[in-house]
């Protein structure tokens, strides 16, 4: 029995991703007021965007009919389109579950990738930091995010010192 070729592996990954999208999209369509459904679709989209970038895969999202406003120009850049979908899903999840720290954290990270407004990125990181963190301080995603926030703030302070009169 020989090893699978990279193209075969890519094809299998893409098939699994497409099936996963169909399932999570159906979940959101059936329960669009359930934050957990939006959250799971958001994480799938975020992970898929990373896969697409790291493995140079061309991922296409199945038809959604979720009434989300996605910029038509993003369809020329599948990774950005998927990342924007992730952002919209996390925003919907945050609207439905405002007490969860992970949604503003993910929105801040996505905003960084789109080179968003620095003050908005700080606001989202600070919001994430202010939400019930006692139970998550040991989680790597939280520790990494707070280290990233400190780095952002120190860099921002340095820029202000150097360039703002």
């Amino acid at each position: 029995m020989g090893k699978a070729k990279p193209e075969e592996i890519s094809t299998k990954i893409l098939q699994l991703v497409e099936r996963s999208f169909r399932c999570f999209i159906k979940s959101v369509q059936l329960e669009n007021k359930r934050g957990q459904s939006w959250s799971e679709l958001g994480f799938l989209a975020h992970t898929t965007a990373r896969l697409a970038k790291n493995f140079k895969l061309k991922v296409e999202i199945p038809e959604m009919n979720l009434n989300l406003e996605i910029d038509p120009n993003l369809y020329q850049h599948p990774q950005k389109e998927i990342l924007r979908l992730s952002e919209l899903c996390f925003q919907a999840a945050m609207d439905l579950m405002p007490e969860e720290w992970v949604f503003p954290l993910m929105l801040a990270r996505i905003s960084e990738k789109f080179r968003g407004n620095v003050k908005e990125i700080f606001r989202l990181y600070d919001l994430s930091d202010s939400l019930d963190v006692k139970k998550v301080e040991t989680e790597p995603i939280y520790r990494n995010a707070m280290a990233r926030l400190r780095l952002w703030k120190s860099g921002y302070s340095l820029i202000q010192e150097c360039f703002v009169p």
Side-chain angles (χ1 to χ4, degrees), residues 39-105:
S39 168
E40 296 301 333
L41 181 56
F43 278 112
L44 174 64
H46 191 266
T47 302
T48 300
R50 290 182 68 190
L51 268 174
K53 179 183 177 192
N54 293 341
F55 295 102
K56 297 177 178 31
L57 299 175
K58 185 171 177 357
V59 178
E60 293 182 20
I61 301 174
E63 187 63 36
M64 292 183 289
N65 298 323
L66 296 176
N67 297 325
L68 296 175
E69 293 180 24
I70 296 180
D71 181 355
N73 294 327
L74 288 176
Y75 287 104
Q76 298 167 3
H77 308 282
Q79 185 209 355
K80 288 182 180 179
E81 170 198 350
I82 295 168
L83 207 51
R84 185 64 72 197
L85 171 63
S86 176
E87 178 182 43
L88 294 169
C89 290
F90 286 129
Q91 185 61 57
M94 190 167 87
D95 292 345
L96 293 165
M97 301 165 62
E99 70 285 354
E100 291 292 328
W101 63 273
V102 74
F103 305 135
L105 169 72

Side-chain angles (χ1 to χ4, degrees), residues 1-51:
M1 184 173 242
K3 282 185 166 183
K5 295 178 183 172
E7 317 73 68
E8 293 170 350
I9 294 171
S10 294
T11 302
K12 287 183 181 187
I13 289 172
L14 291 173
Q15 289 170 346
L16 287 171
V17 166
E18 188 176 314
R19 276 190 245 150
S20 298
F21 267 113
R22 282 197 189 110
C23 290
F24 284 114
I25 289 167
K26 189 66 168 174
S27 173
V28 168
Q29 288 170 337
L30 293 173
E31 304 178 294
N32 70 351
K33 296 294 184 201
R34 187 170 175 260
Q36 191 66 35
S37 296
W38 285 104
S39 168
E40 296 301 333
L41 181 56
F43 278 112
L44 174 64
H46 191 266
T47 302
T48 300
R50 290 182 68 190
L51 268 174

